[in-house]
Amino acid sequence: MSAPTVDLRTSLRAVPIARDVVRVAGPEAATYLQGQASQDVVALAVGATSWTFILQPTGKVQVWARVTRTADDEFLLDTDPGAGEVAVARLRRFRLRTKADVDPIGGWSAVALRGPGADAAARDAAAGAVDAGVRALPAGWPGVEGADLLGPAEAVAAAVPAGVAAATSDDLESLRLLSGVPAMGAELTERTIPAEAGKWVVDASASFTKGCYTGQELVARIDSRGGNVPRHLRAVLADAPFAVGDKVLVDGAEVGSVTSVAARPGGGAVGLAYVSRSVGPPATGGVIGPADAAPATVVAVPVDSPAPGPSAAG
């Protein structure tokens, strides 16, 4: 865990990232995806993007993805590495007698632009590489301006604006945790209830006015109860390093465990953890690993955010 050198909340930089991409296409692609996604994909105009969950029938998370409508009968889903295969298997499993193909797209990559001016930089870059298939997709996190360039790997690499300096994956991971953005395989697993990941995620990813979709019952029931769930995604701050899997303690009691951790700009560490709803942030306690508990504070996300920037992709 190396220390970040750049605070991407205040400085515009570019970071190469990996994304799995899945195409859903065919005469019934829109109606099929409408019944599988938590977002109102039928309402998306061609070229529009939003976040969505693909849920298990129980309402727990299968995949969290960004969905982009590329034509009347075609959509792209991009998600965290490793989750694309899950999305393909899940969507194919429910596709009975439906005129829609679900296929992974290989050879694509992305570059994350984060910081002031990211939206304009991404639009300009994509406009200059539209013939190469590069798209600028909104990717703002709470309190942070952001966009991603997505497309064929070589074209994306060539499209990065010359005036935007590079940052590291450690810088981006630190920003993700400070922003309270969950990741597949870490904060989002097959055991996760969407509302546990926070209001920002649910508001960006779920429609409460569309028709039925797989897993809707649990999402709607929790929303009707004010988002009341047993645990909530929180940030954990400490001066000393700690690790994924470390236990979070408050008043001597274990209230959660760390799902992700990174160094913070300026020193110290930040982690994400699902913490019992009985703990109201901020709360002092500790994180306990192989050694004694290190002093830590449980806080709400986003952490130390500057003035709010654009919200999630929409």
Side-chain angles (χ1 to χ4, degrees):
M1 184 173 66
S2 58
T5 58
V6 179
D7 187 341
L8 296 176
R9 295 171 296 181
T10 58
S11 179
L12 174 61
R13 298 298 177 93
V15 183
I17 57 174
R19 300 291 288 173
D20 287 355
V21 185
V22 176
R23 177 185 286 115
V24 181
E28 298 176 350
T31 54
Y32 174 62
L33 201 55
Q34 183 79 341
Q36 303 302 318
S38 62
Q39 190 56 265
D40 190 349
V41 297
V42 168
L44 289 177
V46 173
T49 299
S50 188
W51 295 105
T52 190
F53 286 112
I54 305 295
L55 299 172
Q56 304 171 52
T58 60
K60 294 185 178 181
V61 174
Q62 193 96 61
V63 176
W64 186 47
R66 187 167 39 191
V67 56
T68 302
R69 190 169 197 168
T70 52
D72 286 341
D73 59 355
E74 181 184 79
F75 297 83
L76 294 181
L77 299 172
D78 71 284
T79 185
D80 291 324
E85 183 177 348
V86 177
V88 169
R90 162 65 175 74
L91 290 172
R92 285 178 174 174
R93 177 156 39 99
F94 285 83
R95 188 197 46 166
L96 300 175
R97 296 180 295 277
T98 300
K99 296 178 181 178
D101 296 321
V102 179
D103 298 298
I105 299 178
W108 281 30
S109 67
V111 170
L113 301 179
R114 297 292 186 274
D119 291 343
R123 285 195 301 269
D124 290 346
V130 64
D131 292 340
V134 176
R135 293 180 174 274
L137 304 183
W141 293 343
V144 182
E145 187 177 342
D148 294 340
L149 299 175
L150 179 73
E154 291 186 5
V156 167
V160 177
V164 179
T168 69
S169 57
D170 289 331
D171 296 325
L172 187 63
E173 179 70 353
S174 181
L175 176 69
R176 180 179 78 82
L177 305 191
L178 290 168
S179 301
V181 176
M184 290 296 304
E187 291 73 41
L188 299 175
T189 73
E190 62 183 9
R191 300 180 300 277
T192 307
I193 296 171
E196 294 175 332
K199 187 177 186 299
W200 174 82
V201 175
V202 173
D203 287 350
S205 309
S207 168
F208 293 94
T209 59
K210 63 177 280 187
C212 295
Y213 59 89
T214 301
Q216 179 188 34
E217 183 179 353
L218 178 64
V219 176
R221 184 169 69 246
I222 291 175
D223 179 70
S224 70
R225 297 175 180 175
N228 192 17
V229 287
R231 58 183 193 158
H232 298 279
L233 190 63
R234 305 297 191 195
V236 180
L237 307 178
D239 291 334
F242 54 96
V244 171
D246 283 356
K247 305 304 180 185
V248 181
L249 308 176
V250 173
D251 294 331
E254 181 182 325
V255 296
S257 60
V258 176
T259 54
S260 296
V261 65
R264 273 194 295 164
V270 55
L272 290 179
Y274 283 109
V275 174
S276 170
R277 67 185 179 193
S278 64
V279 177
T284 57
V287 287
I288 185 168
D292 293 337
T297 305
V298 176
V299 300
V301 292
V303 180
D304 298 330
S305 176
S311 61

